[in-house]
Each structure stands twice: as structure tokens, then as C-alpha cells.
Amino acid sequence: MSILDEIIAYKITEVAQRKELKPLKLLENSIYFNTPVVSMKAYLQRADKVGVIAEIKRKSPGAGMINEFIDVEQLSIGYMQAGASALSVLSDTNYFGGTNEDVTTARKYNYCPVLRKDFTVDEYQIIEARSIGADCILLIAAALSVEKSKALAKLAKELGLEVLLETRDAQEINDYTNEYIDLVGVNNRNLHNFKTTIQTSINLADTIPAEFVKVSESGITTAEDIIMLKKAGYEGYLIGGHFMKHAHPEDACEQLIKEVQQLQ
């Protein structure tokens, strides 16, 4: 069983437990459930922004504990002030050390778009994402059937959420893109062995249809990486571990954005 397979199996059990603890009606009563969302697609295309999606995560299966003692309120504000175009907030607890409250905190203290980063396998999680203040949800092609992915994306759109589809090869891009997807991400990290290279994004850039905003995920560490990806057609650059390994991730984010602006 790969790491991804293990996570998905655990997530299915976890969601079943959460359904019992917090019924849908309770989620729908959240103050965030009917508030307007902030478009991540629009923010990534802004001329005054670089396109960095700054991620908040405490740990990962590949790296272990990265930055345990973070203040989500301060870090999310710091990322936004550094010039990040959007925030990616891990809500998976078991493997990434995140919580739903982290998403809500980021939403409460910021006006930029918030991606709820989790392993979505059930419609319940889409409604949950809306209730905790997310603007965009992640669907991982490798974790879902084509039919399930489309059904989840459709529900997300009905609730006003944007959808980032994460892919890893041309076949997934061809099979999983549909009219309910807003952004197509290419994961530079192989979710089965966790090896990473941005060449994956560059190789797949031309296979992503033009109507989708292209996002490169993982393994991005330098301004040169971003410039290279930008030339390939990408408008979003999701960066987590590179920032989080610093004592002050927001400072690393600000420095990288300044370096990109100098090269443009």
C-alpha cells in the first residue's frame, strides 16, 4: 500500500466518524456557509501579484515534523502581507498536523483566497469546506474515480466554491478535467514515493487546456523555478515545505516574491 492509499483509507474512516459528530445541518448553519467566496482563479491572474500560493502545514508524511509551533493567525497575515496571492491551509490532522480551525482562522484574518488542502473523498467534505470558510477545494485525481471527481466538483460549484484539480500525468489531465474545474494543478511530488521535480510541471504544461489556470505544486524553491514555470504557462505556484522549514515562513515568502519581481 502506498502512502496515498494509506491516507485515503484512513480518510474514508475519519469522514464517517465526523458525519456522526457534526451533521450536515450543523455545517450549513455556519456563518461562512453563505458568504461570498474569494476567487483564487482571479487572484492568481492579477498583474500586481506573482502567483505564489503560500502553504501552512506543520508536518508531512515525507518530511515528518516541519514546523510544529506555528501561529496560524500571524502566519496567514504574514503571508498575505508578504505578497502571497492565496493561502493553502492543510486541514488533515493525522498526516499533516492541520485542523479545520486552521482554515477558519486563515479566512477570518485575511481577504485573499483560501484553499482548503485535504484529501477529499466524500460530499460531506465539500459542505464542510464551505462551512469553515474555504474559497477553493482540492480534488486529487489519483485518489478518486473520474465519476466521483466530477460529482464532487459539481457539488463544489453549486455551493460557490472553486475547484483545484490535482494531476500527475497527461492521462489524468485528459480524463479528469471537466466544466466544473477552475484550476488544474500538476503535483511535482509523486504521491506514491514522494520524489519531487518541477520538470513534471514543465513537461505537462501544454497538455492542460487553455481555459484552466495552471498551478505547479511542490518542489519550488527559487525565483528561477517560478520564472521557468511562468514561461511554461503557469500562473500559480504552490509552495509549502520550502517556506515552512524557516523559523519565520512569511519572511522566506517575502524574499522569494521580491526575487521573482526583480527577475521579471
Side-chain angles (χ1 to χ4, degrees):
M1 181 182 284
S2 71
I3 296 172
L4 178 61
D5 294 333
E6 178 189 327
I7 292 173
I8 296 305
Y10 183 90
K11 187 62 61 175
I12 291 169
T13 302
E14 180 189 272
V15 172
Q17 294 171 343
R18 288 218 300 271
K19 285 180 180 179
E20 294 184 6
L21 293 171
K22 191 171 283 191
L24 289 176
K25 284 295 181 185
L26 200 58
L27 297 179
E28 292 169 354
N29 285 333
S30 164
I31 61 170
Y32 295 106
F33 197 76
N34 291 306
T35 56
V37 301
V38 184
S39 171
M40 191 161 88
K41 185 174 181 178
Y43 260 69
L44 293 181
Q45 294 179 313
R46 282 176 52 165
D48 63 329
K49 296 283 186 180
V50 166
V52 168
I53 304 168
E55 190 159 87
I56 297 174
K57 65 178 175 183
R58 294 173 179 82
K59 65 178 183 177
S60 74
M65 188 59 69
I66 306 169
N67 198 330
E68 185 176 3
F69 304 106
I70 57 172
D71 183 311
V72 175
E73 176 186 336
Q74 292 181 2
L75 179 53
S76 64
I77 293 171
Y79 271 153
M80 191 181 72
Q81 292 176 338
S85 299
L87 302 173
S88 170
V89 184
L90 268 297
S91 59
D92 174 82
T93 302
N94 197 56
Y95 294 92
F96 289 87
T99 66
N100 285 346
E101 289 72 27
D102 290 342
V103 177
T104 302
T105 298
R107 170 73 291 138
K108 182 178 179 181
Y109 291 99
N110 296 276
Y111 54 79
C112 65
V114 176
L115 167 69
R116 192 263 187 113
K117 186 91 173 285
D118 210 317
F119 296 83
T120 305
V121 295
D122 191 280
E123 285 79 3
Y124 179 88
Q125 291 168 281
I126 306 291
I127 297 168
E128 184 180 54
R130 190 72 168 98
S131 76
I132 61 177
D135 301 298
C136 185
I137 57 121
L138 177 72
L139 295 179
I140 303 173
L144 300 162
S145 68
V146 172
E147 295 76 17
K148 186 67 172 180
S149 175
K150 187 171 184 178
L152 292 172
K154 184 175 185 290
L155 175 60
K157 296 306 291 181
E158 290 171 352
L159 294 177
L161 294 166
E162 290 191 337
V163 180
L164 168 61
L165 172 70
E166 179 177 297
T167 62
R168 56 185 176 170
D169 56 42
Q171 190 67 54
E172 287 184 350
I173 292 169
N174 181 67
D175 292 347
Y176 283 79
T177 50
N178 58 64
E179 66 269 31
Y180 306 114
I181 303 298
D182 299 283
L183 313 99
V184 174
V186 173
N187 194 344
N188 298 314
R189 177 176 291 113
N190 185 309
L191 288 176
H192 292 287
N193 60 28
F194 275 70
K195 292 181 179 178
T196 307
T197 171
I198 66 165
Q199 192 61 43
T200 303
S201 283
I202 294 168
N203 292 344
L204 292 172
D206 291 339
T207 67
I208 301 173
E211 64 263 32
F212 304 111
V213 168
K214 301 176 185 180
V215 178
S216 182
E217 308 172 27
S218 301
I220 303 165
T221 59
T222 68
E224 288 77 12
D225 287 342
I226 291 178
I227 295 299
M228 192 183 308
L229 289 163
K230 188 179 184 69
K231 288 178 180 177
Y234 287 87
E235 296 177 290
Y237 319 96
L238 196 152
I239 304 173
H242 175 65
F243 292 155
M244 293 304 301
K245 69 183 181 182
H246 290 81
H248 299 284
E250 67 275 22
D251 292 343
C253 178
E254 182 177 20
Q255 181 62 33
L256 181 61
I257 288 172
K258 285 181 177 177
E259 290 172 0
V260 173
Q261 290 169 334
Q262 290 168 358
L263 291 175
Q264 287 180 331

